[in-house]
Amino acid sequence: GAVVSQHPSWVICKSGTSVKIECRSLDFQATTMFWYRQFPKQSLMLMATSNEGSKATYEQGVEKDKFLINHASLTLSTLTVTSAHPEDSSFYICSARVERGVLAKNIQYFGAGTRLSVL
Amino acid sequence: GENVGLHLPTLSVQEGDNSIINCAYSNSASDYFIWYKQESGKGPQFIIDIRSNMDKRQGQRVTVLLNKTVKHLSLQIAATQPGDSAVYFCAENIGGGGADGLTFGKGTHLIIQP
């Protein structure tokens, strides 16, 4: 259980185009999903919190108009990188929170990540 | 952030030996900690977690120790195997309730020598 699927796993696009990345919770519902970004040999940095049925919450320094997040259902969140440029090339990873009861902490399970290369 | 521009530290261990990976955190308000394992080109995989009201928790071949006094977390892996080679990250949850995203540490690249 607790499987998070991310698609595509790798995408190459031209500068100026937009790219959509999907994150799905396969065997559980997730009211909250998270999007992270990871540069080579570095740690993961939280970009935004995706909330089902409401607007995403972005971390400081992350442009909400550039990284559009939609969480239209309890099993799907999408991240769209708009007008992508070479500096947006990175490894994008989503996670979904599994609730295990009111008093328990919520473990986050991660997707396999999407490698974006912008030419 | 502090992780930008820094290369991952490396820990090299002989197969069969025990590994200890350390992590320092800075926010005393953090109350939930998790260790993740990340293999090349993949997403982080949950290993073990611990709440701030505990100082030790054991799993299968892994033990997490938490020292809140010095804000230090460690992951002990017993009898390391080649499959343990990966980058290990500690992560902390700030804000309580698990509702917020995670703040990840710098990571340690564990290499298992045959």
Side-chain angles (χ1 to χ4, degrees):
Chain A
V3 178
V4 176
S5 173
Q6 207 171 320
H7 178 80
S9 58
W10 189 23
V11 57
I12 302 174
C13 70
K14 293 182 178 180
S15 184
T17 61
S18 295
V19 174
K20 179 185 284 188
I21 303 170
E22 293 186 347
C23 180
R24 295 181 185 272
S25 55
L26 296 187
D27 51 0
F28 64 99
Q29 293 183 330
T31 56
T32 305
M33 293 184 177
F34 302 91
W35 288 96
Y36 296 81
R37 181 173 181 174
Q38 185 179 31
F39 291 106
K41 297 191 185 298
Q42 293 186 22
S43 190
L44 286 77
M45 298 293 288
L46 178 66
M47 296 176 66
T49 302
S50 174
N51 304 298
E52 188 269 335
S54 64
K55 292 183 178 180
T57 305
Y58 290 83
E59 295 300 300
Q60 190 173 9
V62 178
E63 300 175 59
K64 62 179 181 180
D65 294 331
K66 181 167 187 61
F67 300 100
L68 301 179
I69 292 172
N70 184 280
H71 195 152
S73 78
L74 288 172
T75 60
L76 173 64
S77 174
T78 61
L79 169 69
T80 301
V81 183
T82 62
S83 186
H85 289 94
E87 57 265 30
D88 297 323
S89 297
S90 188
F91 194 50
Y92 293 87
I93 313 172
C94 72
S95 71
R97 192 162 56 98
V98 178
E99 298 181 5
R100 292 190 174 185
V102 176
L103 298 180
K105 290 298 183 183
N106 303 311
I107 296 175
Q108 290 186 28
Y109 291 89
F110 285 81
T114 297
R115 185 159 304 284
L116 171 63
S117 297
V118 184
L119 304 178
Chain B
E2 63 177 299
N3 296 326
V4 175
L6 298 175
H7 292 289
L8 299 171
T10 299
L11 175 64
S12 185
V13 178
Q14 289 291 125
E15 183 179 349
D17 287 351
N18 297 335
S19 301
I20 299 177
I21 301 171
N22 297 304
C23 177
Y25 65 95
S26 57
N27 195 324
S28 56
S30 295
D31 58 358
Y32 178 54
F33 305 87
I34 313 111
W35 279 101
Y36 284 96
K37 172 186 180 182
Q38 186 179 29
E39 296 175 323
S40 181
K42 298 182 179 180
Q45 176 186 354
F46 173 85
I47 300 175
I48 192 169
D49 60 349
I50 188 168
R51 302 181 198 178
S52 60
N53 61 353
M54 303 171 69
D55 54 19
K56 181 179 180 180
R57 189 158 187 240
Q58 287 185 293
Q60 187 175 16
R61 275 203 311 122
V62 294
T63 301
V64 55
L65 299 176
L66 174 62
N67 186 330
K68 295 181 288 296
T69 302
V70 296
K71 295 200 275 293
H72 184 268
L73 195 66
S74 69
L75 175 70
Q76 299 178 4
I77 304 174
T80 50
Q81 305 167 357
D84 294 330
S85 291
V87 177
Y88 289 81
F89 292 98
C90 65
E92 59 187 303
N93 180 245
I94 302 172
D100 296 331
L102 298 170
T103 298
F104 280 79
K106 299 176 185 177
T108 297
H109 187 187
L110 178 63
I111 298 173
I112 308 302
Q113 304 277 7

